[in-house]
């Protein structure tokens, strides 16, 4: 299984994080990696507490640098 297929529900994260992610159409790490920050920020369910948690998750998964690179 690649990171693309890892469901957010399989990670040890806050239920509010998962709820907000689902409302933004994000269900896997692949969904997150494929989206752009401006798209996330324009969503009503986005907030910077959620984003901070997202960055922590990506760092723990070894994906933070790749996510940042994709945002350029």
């Amino acid at each position: 299984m690649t990171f693309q297929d890892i469901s957010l529900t399989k990670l040890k994260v806050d239920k509010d994080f998962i709820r907000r992610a689902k409302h933004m159409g994000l269900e896997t790490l692949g969904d997150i990696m494929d989206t752009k920050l401006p798209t996330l920020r324009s969503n009503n369910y986005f907030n910077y507490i959620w984003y901070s948690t997202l960055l922590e998750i990506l760092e723990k998964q070894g994906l933070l640098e790749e996510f940042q690179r994709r945002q350029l």
Side-chain angles (χ1 to χ4, degrees), residues 1-13:
M1 178 184 297
T2 67
F3 77 84
Q4 296 281 352
D5 302 323
I6 297 174
S7 171
L8 297 178
T9 59
K10 300 293 184 197
L11 304 174
K12 295 178 183 178
V13 295

Side-chain angles (χ1 to χ4, degrees), residues 8 13-55 57-58 67:
L8 297 178
V13 295
D14 182 89
K15 289 180 183 179
D16 183 59
F17 176 88
I18 293 186
R19 181 182 61 80
R20 286 177 179 275
K22 283 187 178 188
H23 282 291
M24 289 188 272
L26 307 170
E27 297 201 19
T28 66
L29 286 176
D31 294 339
I32 289 171
M33 296 299 286
D34 291 340
T35 194
K36 294 290 184 185
L37 185 54
T39 302
L40 289 176
R41 287 179 38 194
S42 68
N43 191 294
N44 290 336
Y45 288 93
F46 176 90
N47 67 35
Y48 283 98
I49 293 171
W50 180 89
Y51 186 65
S52 174
T53 302
L54 170 66
L55 296 179
I57 291 167
L58 293 175
F67 178 77

